[in-house]
Amino acid sequence: MAKRVAIVGAGVSGLASIKCCLEEGLEPTCFERSDDLGGLWRFTEHVEEGRASLYKSVVSNSCKEMSCYSDFPFPEDYPNYVPNSQFLDYLKMYADRFDLLKCIQFKTTVFSITKCQDFNVSGQWEVVTLHEGKQESAIFDAVMVCTGFLTNPHLPLGCFPGIKTFKGQYFHSRQYKHPDIFKDKRVLVVGMGNSGTDIAVEASHVAKKVFLSTTGGAWVISRVFDSGYPWDMVFTTRFQNFIRNSLPTPIVTWLVAKKMNSWFNHANYGLVPKDRIQLKEPVLNDELPGRIITGKVFIRPSIKEVKENSVVFGNAHNTPSEEPIDVIVFATGYTFAFPFLDESVVKVEDGQASLYKYIFPAHLQKPTLAVIGLIKPLGSMLPTGETQARYTVQVFKGVIKLPPTSVMIKEVNERKENKHNGLLAFFLFFFFYFSTQRNILFKEYKLHAFHKYNFRNIVILPTIPFLPSTLPPHFFLPLTPRKWKGARNAIMTQWDRTFKVTKTRIVQESSSPFESLLKLFAVLALLVSVFLIFL
């Protein structure tokens, strides 16, 4: 059984990994190259090498009920979508609550992680670190890599002819901190992901003119969803995922377009995705349509050429348009790498790593090295990373046995081949990262335990398919070796916590004469749906 575990990085996944190790009697040592915990969520005015960087205004895209650790909900007075400063405070409260700081060595860079000579027998690793100029080496029984994937900016300048002649300023979105640099300038943001859209909207408040260039378009949704509910608590219930994943692709395509256009018609705003079958994750931004309709942000196609003081955009009709530009921001994403690991351990090709269940290198003779958090969930990394950590620790302890190497490699290869498998994958994307990663561990604790627990809590049972996918963080805890007595209450009171911070003025709501009848029909529909699903 693995005893000493090295953990690289003290971000959200690193903290969860420390806690999981402590709960299972392992001895974790976490190496953090900066002087504080928090990873991505710790804002600094300057970009730090080897650490994710965020801009001052970043707010979580996943609401607090979907973003918490399984046994540590956010404070009730926190807003539903949490600013980065409060998110960092939450992480520090988590570390204090479970006494995790004692396991972290700050200002310590991991220089290399290599197999010991007897690795095929012991599964041990030699970890070489650098602290204040002093190099140290130690032997560990297992390693958990929690460095994330937002540290190496992808800046494909070769795809933008003439960029070297541009006399203005250009940089990757990783360098962006405040909108002041755009004051009274003509700004172009390249890339319509969440960061690119955020930066374009922020710039539009101070810039002379803002252009947002996108090749493929995107669906844009607001954090404020149907009837004012947080989008992810409404959209990611198991019932909705089940329905969407059961329908033929053309029908789902139509339903998605209809739903996404219920806020505004994307075609009228030049945003409708070019390929609606190979759907990407939607962009979350509460202001973009308003900035477009007021002439503060202009949507443009891909860049054809960059000149000294302007940019030429191309379009489908071969009538390029040219606009004067002062600043270009490339929100073109990230690549990832493991400089402290040899390629023979984890090899990265075409933006993918050969990891079984997105965690274990499939070819290693001993499953004693795990990569935690190297996935891109639509929702929060906290519950996903925590579930990966729980599963990993059980593997380290020998409680869970991984399948033969050939089986793991086959699964990895199949996943690579089906990387883009149509619209269905989009909804599986929701379900998988909020549920399947946790179900990996859940299945190991036997299905009958699930039913046993649910029927003891008959009040929860009928609501399971309709609850947000916050359910697993709290709900699966009774199936793990470490139980949390507050799980049931956390599940049943999540909507109370959601609206506690918005109902700051109590109003008298008038009741409809048909309200009782509608409630009756809703209850009947609920019971029928539950019966069909469990049948």
Side-chain angles (χ1 to χ4, degrees):
M1 183 183 75
K3 281 292 186 182
R4 297 191 66 206
V5 181
I7 299 172
V8 186
V12 295
S13 296
L15 294 175
S17 297
I18 297 171
K19 179 175 178 288
C20 290
C21 285
L22 291 174
E23 287 178 342
E24 297 301 321
L26 304 183
E27 301 171 11
T29 301
C30 179
F31 302 107
E32 169 57 45
R33 67 183 301 158
S34 66
D35 60 0
D36 202 356
L37 58 80
L40 168 68
W41 291 101
R42 184 167 65 85
F43 172 80
T44 55
E45 290 290 346
H46 303 286
V47 177
E48 296 181 4
E49 182 184 355
R51 193 176 71 83
S53 176
L54 53 74
Y55 36 98
K56 183 67 174 178
S57 60
V58 164
V59 175
S60 66
N61 284 336
S62 182
C63 71
K64 65 181 180 181
E65 294 302 316
M66 305 288 280
S67 302
C68 62
Y69 289 113
S70 62
D71 53 357
F72 196 73
F74 276 88
E76 290 187 357
D77 59 347
Y78 270 39
N80 284 295
Y81 292 96
V82 186
N84 63 82
S85 59
Q86 287 182 291
F87 212 110
L88 178 61
D89 290 340
Y90 168 78
L91 296 178
K92 290 184 175 181
M93 286 187 281
Y94 179 77
D96 289 340
R97 169 65 179 81
F98 298 106
D99 197 19
L100 307 182
L101 291 176
K102 66 183 180 183
C103 301
I104 305 176
Q105 295 183 16
F106 292 106
K107 297 182 179 180
T108 304
T109 301
V110 175
F111 182 75
S112 68
I113 299 176
T114 55
K115 298 177 184 177
C116 291
Q117 290 186 351
D118 63 343
F119 178 81
N120 291 347
V121 177
S122 67
Q124 292 181 325
W125 301 84
E126 180 183 9
V127 179
V128 178
T129 58
L130 188 65
H131 175 70
E132 296 181 348
K134 183 181 179 181
Q135 187 169 296
E136 296 182 354
S137 175
I139 304 299
F140 289 89
D141 299 300
V143 175
M144 301 174 79
V145 179
C146 308
T147 53
F149 56 89
L150 298 177
T151 56
N152 302 320
H154 176 56
L155 191 56
L157 295 180
C159 298
F160 303 95
I163 186 64
K164 297 298 183 181
T165 66
F166 185 61
K167 292 184 176 180
Q169 182 183 10
Y170 67 88
F171 54 89
H172 190 272
S173 57
R174 171 175 164 79
Q175 306 293 323
Y176 172 71
K177 294 294 181 179
H178 301 279
D180 302 350
I181 59 172
F182 302 132
K183 186 172 176 59
D184 298 328
K185 294 185 178 180
R186 294 176 177 269
V187 180
L188 167 63
V189 180
V190 181
M192 197 180 166
N194 283 307
S195 295
T197 305
D198 282 351
I199 294 171
V201 167
E202 283 198 1
S204 69
H205 290 277
V206 297
K208 183 181 294 185
K209 205 168 187 178
V210 176
F211 301 93
L212 179 57
S213 171
T214 175
T215 301
W219 294 120
V220 180
I221 63 176
S222 172
R223 293 177 178 84
V224 184
F225 215 59
D226 295 346
S227 302
Y229 296 116
W231 79 269
D232 39 349
M233 292 186 73
V234 174
F235 199 69
T236 57
T237 64
R238 278 158 188 73
F239 177 74
Q240 291 210 34
N241 282 318
F242 171 78
I243 295 298
R244 286 188 289 257
N245 292 332
S246 301
L247 296 174
T249 298
I251 296 178
V252 177
T253 302
W254 177 79
L255 287 173
V256 168
K258 184 175 178 61
K259 184 61 185 176
M260 295 300 173
N261 285 321
S262 62
W263 183 22
F264 68 96
N265 190 312
H266 283 62
N268 292 340
Y269 285 66
L271 296 173
V272 67
K274 185 177 181 180
D275 188 343
R276 305 186 196 185
I277 301 299
Q278 301 290 349
L279 266 174
K280 300 184 300 182
E281 61 183 284
V283 170
L284 277 122
N285 194 282
D286 305 307
E287 295 186 61
L288 182 61
R291 304 313 287 174
I292 295 174
I293 204 170
T294 55
K296 302 298 183 181
V297 173
F298 296 86
I299 305 300
R300 289 290 187 267
S302 57
I303 296 173
K304 183 177 181 180
E305 181 185 1
V306 180
K307 297 184 177 181
E308 290 186 353
N309 299 296
S310 63
V311 170
V312 179
F313 300 99
N315 59 44
H317 303 290
N318 294 319
T319 54
S321 60
E322 185 173 348
E323 296 286 352
I325 299 294
D326 301 309
V327 182
I328 303 176
V329 182
F330 290 100
T332 46
Y334 293 82
T335 60
F336 63 89
F338 305 101
F340 46 81
L341 286 173
D342 188 83
E343 280 195 357
S344 63
V345 178
V346 179
K347 188 174 183 179
V348 178
E349 292 180 309
D350 299 324
Q352 297 185 79
S354 298
L355 300 173
Y356 175 69
K357 300 299 183 187
Y358 296 87
I359 301 173
F360 292 99
H363 62 283
L364 289 182
Q365 298 92 331
K366 296 287 185 178
T368 55
L369 184 139
V371 180
I372 309 297
L374 191 63
I375 56 177
K376 192 177 181 182
L378 184 62
S380 175
M381 182 59 71
L382 274 73
T384 306
E386 181 189 3
T387 304
Q388 286 187 316
R390 287 183 179 276
Y391 178 64
T392 296
V393 168
Q394 296 301 310
V395 172
F396 286 169
K397 290 185 64 177
V399 175
I400 295 175
K401 300 291 186 182
L402 296 184
T405 299
S406 59
V407 174
M408 293 192 288
I409 292 176
K410 181 181 178 181
E411 179 182 302
V412 169
N413 291 334
E414 288 177 350
R415 189 180 74 234
K416 287 182 178 179
E417 292 174 2
N418 298 321
K419 183 178 179 181
H420 303 292
N421 60 347
L423 188 60
L424 187 60
F426 172 68
F427 291 110
L428 289 174
F429 192 66
F430 281 94
F431 185 76
F432 181 79
Y433 288 116
F434 282 107
S435 300
T436 305
Q437 286 293 333
R438 282 175 280 247
N439 285 344
I440 294 169
L441 178 60
F442 157 62
K443 290 175 183 176
E444 302 295 338
Y445 285 99
K446 307 298 182 182
L447 187 62
H448 73 268
F450 177 75
H451 294 295
K452 184 178 181 181
Y453 179 76
N454 278 314
F455 284 109
R456 286 179 183 173
N457 294 271
I458 195 68
V459 176
I460 299 178
L461 178 61
T463 64
I464 291 172
F466 304 92
L467 283 173
S469 292
T470 53
L471 186 59
H474 305 313
F475 192 77
F476 288 154
L477 264 175
L479 308 180
T480 66
R482 302 286 295 182
K483 297 182 180 181
W484 178 47
K485 295 181 180 179
R488 183 182 187 281
N489 182 66
I491 294 169
M492 300 304 296
T493 59
Q494 56 186 331
W495 287 111
D496 295 333
R497 293 191 301 275
T498 296
F499 292 117
K500 181 176 181 178
V501 291
T502 59
K503 287 187 175 181
T504 53
R505 173 178 172 263
I506 306 300
V507 297
Q508 185 68 37
E509 299 182 62
S510 57
S511 58
S512 167
F514 301 103
E515 186 174 351
S516 298
L517 185 61
L518 290 174
K519 285 183 178 179
L520 176 61
F521 279 121
V523 171
L524 291 174
L526 174 65
L527 293 174
V528 171
S529 300
V530 170
F531 174 77
L532 291 175
I533 289 174
F534 279 87
L535 186 62

